Amino acid sequence: MWFAIIAKDVPDSLDKRKSVRPAHIARLQALLDAGRLFVAGAFPAIESEDPGPAGFTGSMIVAEFASLALAEAWANADPYVAAGVYAEVQIKPFRKALPA
């Protein structure tokens, strides 16, 4: 099943994000290579593709896991969690409706 992982950043998270981004992206790439990543990205703090020093307010990942427990375990092992980038993480089952 697909699960949406929605994370909210701590204030001033940009330096923490930058320090562990390669490891974060490597985990996402592994999901993509396995055909289990639907979409992943960050929420810019301002209306810009590159928010610069304004940074980001959080992230969203939609990926396939066999269970909610496995999605939670994967999310909890994220380098952004270990580095203190995320203030909170929500995980919800996701059902794609459109486009079909």
Side-chain angles (χ1 to χ4, degrees):
M1 172 164 216
W2 295 108
F3 290 89
I5 301 168
I6 305 159
K8 181 180 176 184
D9 281 20
V10 298
D12 302 314
S13 64
L14 188 58
D15 288 340
K16 291 177 183 179
R17 273 181 169 271
K18 287 179 180 179
S19 73
V20 294
R21 187 172 190 272
H24 172 77
I25 295 298
R27 294 180 83 236
L28 293 172
Q29 186 64 51
L31 284 177
L32 181 65
D33 293 347
R36 296 175 42 211
L37 182 65
F38 182 69
V39 68
F43 299 116
I46 59 174
E47 191 176 340
S48 174
E49 286 288 320
D50 180 3
F56 300 89
T57 62
S59 303
M60 183 180 73
I61 300 162
V62 178
E64 187 176 33
F65 295 93
S67 68
L68 177 59
L70 289 173
E72 289 172 342
W74 186 90
N76 289 335
D78 194 283
Y80 281 179
V81 171
V85 172
Y86 294 151
E88 67 178 79
V89 178
Q90 270 190 315
I91 303 170
K92 300 179 177 190
F94 178 83
R95 192 187 80 174
K96 181 183 172 198
L98 294 172

